[in-house]
Amino acid sequence: MSESEEHGKQWKTLDKDLNRISQIELATFHIARPMVGLGVALAFIIVAGLFAALVFGGQPGSAVVIAAAALGAYMAINIGANDVANNMGPAVGANALTMGGAIVIAALCESAGALLAGGDVVSTISKGIIDPSAVANTQVFIWAMMAALLSSALWVNLATWIGAPVSTTHSVVGGVMGAGIAAAGFATVNWGSMGLIALSWVISPLLGGVIAAGFLWFIKARIMYQADKIEAARRWVPVLIGIMMGTFATYLAVKGLKKIVSVDLLTALLIGLGMGALSYVASAPLVRRQSEGLENRNKSLKVLFGLPLVISAALLSFAHGANDVANAVGPLAAIVHANASGEFAGKVNIPHWVMVIGAFGISFGLILFGPKLIKMVGSQITKLNPMRAYCVALSAAITVIVASWLGLPVSSTHIAVGGVFGVGFFREWYHEKRLDETMRKKRDLRIAAEERRRRKLVRRSHFMTIVAAWVITVPAAALLSAITFWLLSHLAG
């Protein structure tokens, strides 16, 4: 063998070794990436506990508050990973926002909503689910709230892992109910309130789906299937933007600005009407300018709905941060109050540091683990474009206002995902209807039936997984909470 051939053989061997090393490094990188997220989440939980130790260290019962702060941070991370996807998923699925842009906007708006407009007062027993007077003493109440906090966080964590968007508020409700039953028996539960919450499992997604489908029908009929689509868009898109801004102004006045100003529903509706009119006047020339030079086809219309969709996603995140974070950290606020005062109450003030843990925990959870659920809601249930995603966002705000007017407890998660299902099933029905008309003209209904089976626009497997997760959220969180309460109370003697 010549010297050149020997060198060539050595280089080939070296090249193979380098390739093996590169493959090992690549595999290690993919394995380590999830570990980085878990490491950052764990670090935040530890920091939350240390912060509580600095504030309460040396005081009686400080160990309980420190542990509760760590659990509150864990719960907030899970809210960010699961709940926020409902606000940003449609915008990402419609390509109106990139994943990175959605995460930045959601983190800022959720934190701003929690810190600027989050409620001063929260119900310690989550919407009157259990009777506080039935609980034996303060220590038992503290263990019950600890169990509720841990069990609801564990359940939301599990739901995120399997890819099911669930209601964090319902998880907390189930956790409080289970701990209450374990502490004081079934008689302590307000079964009337539980019945209303169970009713919301049906009302929330149905109402959200019907409203979203109704707006999609309007857009198809008045804009997409008109001869001059651009002129129709110039006429109706400002109207839709006015409806959107008016709706969100009402939504924020009703649900999201309690800390800044408290208004009744009629005043909120008047505020929304004024904002809607102003938005219509301001958007009409902008839409006309934006539509100049666009081709007369449906694809061109996406440009006109992009910015309204981004604004709606940001407003939904702000309102979610203002309204839902307080409910999620309610058990933590209850523990802090009970430990400091030696008594428990139906409603307590939320300390600022508790809201800070909630706000930052949501941001960390969204950044580290949120993309999975954002992709699920935005693109894996059904295909969304800016028009369909706009209908979902608008439906979420309108449904909350209608439910507030009727006095019905609803879940923002169920409404948003119900809206996604609504536009998906409406598209299926609409395509089938047009297909039947086409095939009937050709007198070939057999082909229509085959096409109908083939053209399913909503993934049934995701539909069944999500509905099943919704149904079992309260009982699963309740069972986890009862077991956790039993363990905590026995470990504590």
Side-chain angles (χ1 to χ4, degrees), residues 19-260:
N19 281 334
R20 289 194 192 100
I21 292 170
S22 298
Q23 289 171 2
I24 291 169
E25 287 178 344
L26 187 62
T28 305
F29 173 74
H30 283 291
I31 292 169
R33 250 192 336 183
M35 299 305 295
V36 171
L38 291 174
V40 173
L42 182 60
F44 175 73
I45 292 170
I46 293 171
V47 168
L50 291 174
F51 182 72
L54 288 174
V55 176
F56 293 95
Q59 297 182 21
S62 59
V64 172
V65 175
I66 292 168
L71 291 179
Y74 175 48
M75 180 62 179
I77 287 171
N78 283 295
I79 294 172
N82 193 295
D83 226 17
V84 181
N86 310 309
N87 304 326
M88 287 295 162
V92 174
N95 294 320
L97 274 173
T98 63
M99 182 66 74
I103 288 173
V104 170
I105 291 172
L108 291 174
C109 292
E110 289 276 344
S111 299
L115 296 174
L116 298 177
D120 283 325
V121 178
V122 67
S123 171
T124 62
I125 40 75
S126 196
K127 305 184 186 302
I129 298 305
I130 64 172
D131 179 11
S133 63
V135 181
N137 55 52
T138 303
Q139 195 59 50
V140 172
F141 179 79
I142 287 174
W143 292 129
M145 291 299 104
M146 289 275 280
L149 196 56
L150 178 57
S151 61
S152 55
L154 286 171
W155 173 250
V156 177
N157 198 164
L158 177 62
T160 304
W161 181 66
I162 65 173
V166 296
S167 169
T168 52
T169 303
H170 284 183
S171 301
V172 173
V173 165
V176 170
M177 183 182 77
I181 292 172
F186 285 90
T188 190
V189 178
N190 184 338
W191 293 107
S193 295
M194 283 306 304
L196 283 175
I197 289 171
L199 188 63
S200 78
W201 297 340
V202 179
I203 293 173
S204 298
L206 281 181
L207 199 54
V210 168
I211 293 174
F215 274 103
L216 184 58
W217 169 82
F218 180 86
I219 290 171
K220 283 181 176 291
R222 297 295 180 183
I223 301 176
M224 296 176 68
Y225 291 112
Q226 294 293 315
D228 191 340
K229 305 177 194 298
I230 305 303
E231 186 57 39
R234 288 171 180 167
R235 184 185 307 116
W236 288 111
V237 170
V239 174
L240 291 169
I241 292 174
I243 292 172
M244 181 194 78
M245 294 305 295
T247 300
F248 276 105
T250 305
Y251 178 87
L252 289 170
V254 169
K255 302 294 288 184
L257 301 177
K258 299 173 187 175
K259 187 174 180 180
I260 300 172

Side-chain angles (χ1 to χ4, degrees), residues 39-40 106 122 140 170 173 277 309 313 318 325 329 333 338 362 365 369 373 375 396 449 453 466 478 482:
V40 173
V122 67
V140 172
H170 284 183
V173 165
L309 181 56
F318 181 89
V325 176
V329 296
I362 284 176
F369 309 111
L373 266 294
K375 289 177 183 175
R453 282 194 297 270
I466 291 170

Side-chain angles (χ1 to χ4, degrees), residues 407-483:
L408 297 173
V410 292
S411 163
S412 58
T413 300
H414 292 190
I415 293 168
V417 178
V420 175
F421 284 134
V423 297
F425 283 123
F426 173 79
R427 288 178 63 226
E428 279 192 9
W429 172 81
Y430 198 82
H431 279 288
E432 288 177 6
K433 179 184 174 185
R434 297 189 68 187
L435 182 65
D436 283 343
E437 290 173 354
T438 303
M439 292 300 119
R440 193 173 289 112
K441 290 176 182 177
K442 296 180 178 179
R443 300 184 182 278
D444 195 344
L445 297 180
R446 180 182 57 81
I447 295 177
E450 291 175 359
E451 283 289 311
R452 188 181 297 112
R453 282 194 297 270
R454 189 173 62 84
R455 298 188 66 176
K456 297 297 182 186
L457 302 178
V458 177
R459 291 189 180 180
R460 267 49 177 182
S461 59
H462 292 328
F463 175 75
M464 297 306 298
T465 299
I466 291 170
V467 170
W470 287 354
V471 171
I472 65 173
T473 287
V474 170
L479 180 61
L480 274 173
S481 185
I483 294 170

